[in-house]
Amino acid sequence: SQTIHQWPATLVQPVGSPLSLECTVEGTSNPNLYWYRQAAGRGLQLLFYSVGIGQISSEVPQNLSASRPQDRQFILSSKKLLLSDSGFYLCAWGRQGLGYGYTFGSGTRLTVV
Amino acid sequence: AQRVTQPEKLLSVFKGAPVELKCNYSYSGSPELFWYVQYSRQRLQLLLRHISRESIKGFTADLNKGETSFHLKKPFAQEEDSAMYYCALSGRNTGNQFYFGTGTSLTVIP
C-alpha cells in the first residue's frame, strides 16, 4: 500500500534561518507531488507541484522553493525564513490522471520566531 | 479562472439534525469535485468524490452543474462528524491540480 511520510512534525526556526522540509512517498511510482500551506481562514494554498523528477511548478511567488531530487522525494526549502512563512505545511501525492484524490502527509507546523 | 467557495466558515448543528455544508465552484469545463475532511489531530483525508457517487460515513454530495454546486449532506449528524471540511476541484484545465475552498468547521452539539 502507498504511504506518505512528512517530517518534522513541528519546527521552530528564527527569522533569517534556512528551511528544509522533506516528504517521501512509498508504494507507488511517478506520483504527482504537492506542497500546500494551510492557514486559518484561508484554507489550503497550493505552493508547488511536481509531475516528475526535476519538474517543479510554482503557484505562488514567495520566499520558498521546492525540489524533487528523486521520484518519490519532494523537498520544500527556504534560504532565509520570514515571519510570514509560519504556518502548517502539507505534502500530498496523487496519481496521474483525473478522478483520483490526494493523499496527504501529516503536516509540519512551522513557527518562525 | 477556477474557484471553490465555501461560504460558511463555522457551522454548528445538533446531534441527529440534518447537516449541509455548502460548496460552490467556478470552472469552465467538466470539473471533478471532492470533499476532504480533517478530524482533530488527524491528517487531511479524502471523504468522497463526485464521480464515485458514493456515500461515505452517511455523507453524500451531488454535483449540480446548473447551480455549480457540490454541497455535502448528511441526514442525521453525529458527534464524530465534528471536523474541518474542505471542498476541492480538479479538472483538465487545472493540470491535475486541486483547488480547495477555505473550509468549513463543523461542530455537532450533543
Side-chain angles (χ1 to χ4, degrees), chain A residues 26-105:
Chain A
E26 296 177 357
T28 188
S29 59
N30 197 29
N32 290 339
L33 295 171
Y34 307 85
W35 278 110
Y36 280 87
R37 178 162 55 199
Q38 187 179 26
R42 297 181 61 184
L44 285 161
Q45 180 186 33
L46 177 63
L47 302 176
F48 301 96
Y49 71 95
S50 172
V51 298
I53 297 175
Q55 301 178 58
I56 308 294
S57 295
S58 174
E59 281 293 294
V60 182
Q62 58 207 324
N63 185 42
L64 302 169
S65 62
S67 61
R68 186 169 177 175
Q70 301 180 41
D71 181 46
R72 289 167 285 180
Q73 183 185 29
F74 205 25
I75 298 172
L76 182 68
S77 305
S78 174
K79 292 182 179 178
K80 289 185 178 181
L81 283 169
L82 306 172
L83 286 174
S84 57
D85 292 325
S86 294
F88 191 63
Y89 291 84
L90 286 165
C91 180
W93 80 272
R95 291 187 179 92
Q96 300 283 352
L98 298 174
Y100 300 104
Y102 286 177
T103 300
F104 284 88

Side-chain angles (χ1 to χ4, degrees), chain A residues 4 32 34 36 38-39 41-44 46 49 51 59 88 90 95-106, chain B residues 9 30 32 34 36 38 42-46 49 51 84 86 90-92 94-103:
Chain A
I4 180 168
N32 290 339
Y34 307 85
Y36 280 87
Q38 187 179 26
R42 297 181 61 184
L44 285 161
L46 177 63
Y49 71 95
V51 298
E59 281 293 294
F88 191 63
L90 286 165
R95 291 187 179 92
Q96 300 283 352
L98 298 174
Y100 300 104
Y102 286 177
T103 300
F104 284 88
S106 52
Chain B
K9 287 188 178 180
S30 295
E32 305 279 345
F34 302 77
Y36 284 82
Q38 188 172 28
Q42 294 186 30
R43 64 180 66 188
L44 192 62
Q45 58 188 287
L46 179 64
R49 45 185 177 163
I51 61 170
M84 190 74 174
Y86 291 93
S90 182
R92 297 193 184 284
T94 72
N96 285 352
Q97 302 167 49
F98 278 68
Y99 288 87
F100 287 82
T102 51

